[in-house]
Structures are given as C-alpha cells and as structure tokens.
Amino acid sequence: MSLVRFYLLLEMKILEENAGALTNFEVLDFLRAKGASKDPSRVLAKVAMSEYKVYDYLVKTPAGSQTRESVKEYFTAIKQHDLSEAEVLNVLNIRPASEVEIYHIIEDCEERFPDEEVTEIVEKVGNTLPAPPDKATPEEITKGDEETETQKHDEISQDQTEDGEQMDTS
Amino acid sequence: MFYLSKIEHKFALPPHLLARPIREAIQSELERLFLDKVIQKLGLCISVYDITSIEGGSIFPGAGAPTYQVVFNLIMFRPFPGEIISAKVMSLDADGVRLSLGFFEDIYIPTHHMPYPSYYISKNNTRKWTWEYGEETDEFNIEISNEIPSSKCELPNDSS
C-alpha cells in the first residue's frame, strides 16, 4: 500500500461575515425573482421548501406590499433626519404607523428628536410606504381586550393583534 | 434581520450532478449543504444569493468527484438584540411563550421577560398568559395563533 495523502476536500472560509444588510423587501424581491409566489402550484418553482417558509412569513409583513419605487421614495425622504442606518432599516421593515412605535425602534428618541420631528417621520413613513398587507387603514387601538375577543374566534383578524404593540408601550 | 455573508467553500461535486450546467450544479450542491442550516457567527442560512466565482474542478487522486472552490453570498437570518419582530404564538406553558416565524421556530419568551405583571392561567382546556396593564384590569390575552410583535432582549445562542 503506497502512502496515500488525504487532501482536505471540505473547507469553508468566511470571507465577509457581514457583506451588507438586506431589507425585508430585498429578500422578498429576491425570492419572488426566483419564482416564489402565493399560488398553490409551488412544485414548479425552483424555490426550496425552507425558502418558501421565509417567503410566506415576509409576505405578511409590511414588506409584502412595498415596491421598489416606494422604498426609494422612503430613502430619499428619510435622509433629512439624523437616523442611523440600522434605524432606517428597522423603520422600513416595521413601518410604524404612530409615534409610539417610533420610540421603540429609535434609541434615545426623546433626546435626539423633538416631538414635531418624530411626527414628521411618522408622516413620511405613511406617505412613502404602502400600508402592510391585510390592513386597509393604519391601526388605531383603544382597548386591547376588545381586539382579543375577536381573535379567539376569527383567525383572519390575527393581524389586529399587532395593534397590541402600541399598547405595551403606552 | 437579514444580512449577506460572503463565503468561500471548497467541496467535491457529486458526479450525478455533472450532467447539468456547472453553475446550476454548484448552486444545487450549495443549497443542499447550507440551506436551512445554522452557521456559527452567521446565523440561519435562508438562501444562496449568488455565486461570485468558481475555481478548480480537478479530481484529486483517489477521489471520485471533482473538487471546486466557490466564492458565494448567502442570505443569513441574524436578528440583533433589541430587534422587534412579529411572530406567531406556537405554544405556551408556565415557563413562558414559544413563538414561531415559520422558518424559525425557536423563539422563547421566558417568564421573567414577559411584560410585568403577567400571569399564566390554565383552566379547563384553555391555556393563556394574561398581561394586566392599566388601572382597570385590562387584559391582553396571549393565546395560540395570535400574532404579537415582540422585542428581543437576549442574544440568541450562537450555535452551529
């Protein structure tokens, strides 16, 4: 038996841990370009099952109703305010519909921005980005328990619980 | 939530894929290797974004398959502490609530992270967490299949 050298045939190197952040919309767009869609004949597309799960999740978030133009508009509008890149991204992904939600996303919001500016930001978000799917109007929440009553019986109004977010911050 | 990571990987391409165009074959093999797997420090791999370069293709002595060195980008799911994510309630018990994103199901809200004050109630066949906020006993009930936005306070475990 001659001496056999075993070559390392499997080797993985991380070249860049973070080669760029992706917005939810970009990931959704990428999956759509690959062939993902809502229609039930999914076997035909070259999209793996696990990728489809990501698609199903993202389609229900605000990214599901965003378009390239609206995202571009948002970026130009938001440039006037002094937000970090991560905050711009988060606002885009979450699409806050009220000041309360902004306080959760932006750090030290009260110190960095006067109230009028926060309202301005909310307005700009509302003007440039479309409403999340399954929501016709921006949510206005008054009583949480009223909402939860409907959820017990109606799964479709699941999205209404997102209004709950506004409650925990108030 | 999502990041791109650039990876270089050296691997053997199984011969049964060699009938296909090389790019397709390598994409297929990369997907088999990385999709839906958690990589340490990078997160959960969602998708192969693109292939930057393919080198090699030589067969080493004793091997039955060509070895390629490929540089490519992966879309990774890597939430940061403090991020706000909407998730569905999968199950709940006295220790907390478990949430799922569909593609990722290991999100837990342990008891000490539930908004204060919250109580776990289990009666008859229904189980729920109740958060009493406000002066009147307004209740926010968390039950299965509610969607709740949640903020992550803990660093998720980096596990490979």
Side-chain angles (χ1 to χ4, degrees), chain A residues 68-110:
Chain A
R68 216 162 269 188
E69 295 78 30
S70 63
V71 176
K72 270 195 219 155
E73 264 183 58
Y74 162 78
F75 276 128
T76 31
I78 209 76
K79 239 183 250 190
Q80 302 163 6
H81 304 278
D82 183 29
L83 294 174
S84 74
E85 249 189 64
E87 287 165 348
V88 173
L89 203 117
N90 275 337
V91 172
L92 176 63
N93 284 344
I94 298 172
R95 205 223 173 235
S98 69
E99 285 83 347
V100 182
E101 297 179 57
I102 298 267
Y103 292 138
H104 236 1
I105 303 172
I106 302 180
E107 271 184 57
D108 298 330
C109 197
E110 285 157 4

Side-chain angles (χ1 to χ4, degrees), chain B residues 68-86:
Chain B
Y68 286 97
Q69 202 157 320
V70 186
V71 177
F72 54 97
N73 284 311
L74 290 175
I75 302 180
M76 310 297 298
F77 169 66
R78 188 167 68 236
F80 57 86
E83 182 163 3
I84 300 186
I85 296 184
S86 267

Side-chain angles (χ1 to χ4, degrees), chain A residues 3 11 18-19 24 33 37 42 45 53 79 94 132 140 160 169:
Chain A
L3 198 66
E11 192 184 289
N18 183 359
N24 286 8
S37 70
R42 291 184 160 179
K53 292 207 171 124
K79 239 183 250 190
I94 298 172
E140 293 275 344
Q160 292 198 22
T169 51

Side-chain angles (χ1 to χ4, degrees), chain A residues 1 24 62 76 95 118 120 133 141 154 156:
Chain A
M1 232 344 208
N24 286 8
T76 31
R95 205 223 173 235
V118 178
E120 237 188 278
I141 227 286
D154 194 355
I156 297 173

Side-chain angles (χ1 to χ4, degrees), chain A residues 168 170, chain B residues 110-119 129-134:
Chain A
D168 20 327
S170 48
Chain B
T111 324
H112 52 272
H113 277 125
M114 297 290 287
Y116 178 81
S118 299
Y119 306 99
W129 272 90
T130 301
W131 178 34
E132 287 169 10
Y133 67 96

Side-chain angles (χ1 to χ4, degrees), chain A residues 7-24 27 30-31 34 46 48 50-51 53-54 57-58 60 89-90 93-94 104-105 142-145 148 151-152 155 158-159 161-162 164-165 167-169, chain B residues 1-12 27 31 34-36 39-42 46-49 60-61 63 67 71 73 75 78 80 83-86 88 101-103 131 133 136 138-141 143 145-147 149:
Chain A
Y7 293 87
L8 190 63
L9 290 179
L10 264 186
E11 192 184 289
M12 187 184 102
K13 212 190 316 182
I14 301 174
L15 296 178
E16 273 178 68
E17 205 175 297
N18 183 359
L22 289 177
T23 62
N24 286 8
V27 179
F30 170 76
L31 291 171
K34 249 188 145 186
K46 284 189 210 165
S50 59
E51 289 173 315
K53 292 207 171 124
V54 183
Y57 170 76
L58 287 177
K60 294 196 214 139
L89 203 117
N90 275 337
N93 284 344
I94 298 172
H104 236 1
I105 303 172
T142 46
K143 284 261 178 174
D145 37 355
T148 49
Q151 284 138 34
K152 283 184 210 162
E155 246 192 12
Q158 265 171 28
D159 300 67
T161 39
E162 289 197 72
E165 154 81 324
M167 279 172 5
D168 20 327
T169 51
Chain B
M1 222 190 329
F2 297 104
Y3 294 90
L4 277 182
S5 288
K6 203 181 205 132
I7 311 272
E8 181 186 329
H9 188 51
K10 187 164 27 161
F11 64 97
Q27 169 114 4
E31 286 184 347
F34 290 104
L35 225 58
D36 211 28
I39 304 176
Q40 199 176 38
K41 288 194 203 158
L42 296 180
I46 299 290
S47 208
V48 176
Y49 188 67
F60 288 106
T67 303
V71 177
N73 284 311
I75 302 180
R78 188 167 68 236
F80 57 86
E83 182 163 3
I84 300 186
I85 296 184
S86 267
K88 238 183 188 180
L101 291 175
F103 58 93
W131 178 34
Y133 67 96
E136 318 103 55
D138 290 330
E139 294 184 347
F140 179 57
N141 294 325
E143 288 159 335
S145 92
N146 283 12
E147 295 239 354

